[in-house]
């Protein structure tokens, strides 16, 4: 939907330019690393056509809660979503 895309690009994206070093690594600015509490170990996760970078402990919490919600009642869970 073009309206959703326009909204996401303007209001939600908060885009910041990142550098790529000589080894091909994306260097996240300190403000993003601090906001996401990124430390020694991070999780790079798939999100459809995007990817996300998570603090390891925060991702584990989100993953565990998601897993519990799915397996508590899989039929009901998957019956309510469209993927």
């Amino acid at each position: 939907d073009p309206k959703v895309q326009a909204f996401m690009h303007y209001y939600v994206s908060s885009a910041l330019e990142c550098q790529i070093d000589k080894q091909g690594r994306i260097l996240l600015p300190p403000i993003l690393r601090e906001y996401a509490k990124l430390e020694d170990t991070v999780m790079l996760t798939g999100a459809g056509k995007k990817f996300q970078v998570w603090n390891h402990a925060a991702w584990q919490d989100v993953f565990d809660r998601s897993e519990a919600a799915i397996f508590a009642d899989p039929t009901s869970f998957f019956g309510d979503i469209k993927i």
Side-chain angles (χ1 to χ4, degrees), residues 17 26 36 43 48 55 57 66 70 77 79:
E17 191 171 310
I26 299 171
M43 299 299 291
N55 166 287
S66 298
I70 291 168
F77 184 88

Side-chain angles (χ1 to χ4, degrees), residues 15-44:
L16 291 175
E17 191 171 310
C18 298
Q19 300 297 315
I20 298 178
D21 72 9
K22 292 179 182 180
Q23 294 178 331
R25 297 175 295 196
I26 299 171
L27 305 175
L28 299 177
I31 192 166
L32 292 179
R33 293 193 314 266
E34 291 165 11
Y35 177 80
K37 297 179 176 81
L38 300 179
E39 298 166 356
D40 292 337
T41 303
V42 300
M43 299 299 291
L44 183 65

Side-chain angles (χ1 to χ4, degrees), residues 43 54-67:
M43 299 299 291
W54 287 80
N55 166 287
H56 186 269
W59 170 250
Q60 192 62 55
D61 182 55
V62 167
F63 181 84
D64 291 345
R65 285 186 286 121
S66 298
E67 183 178 48

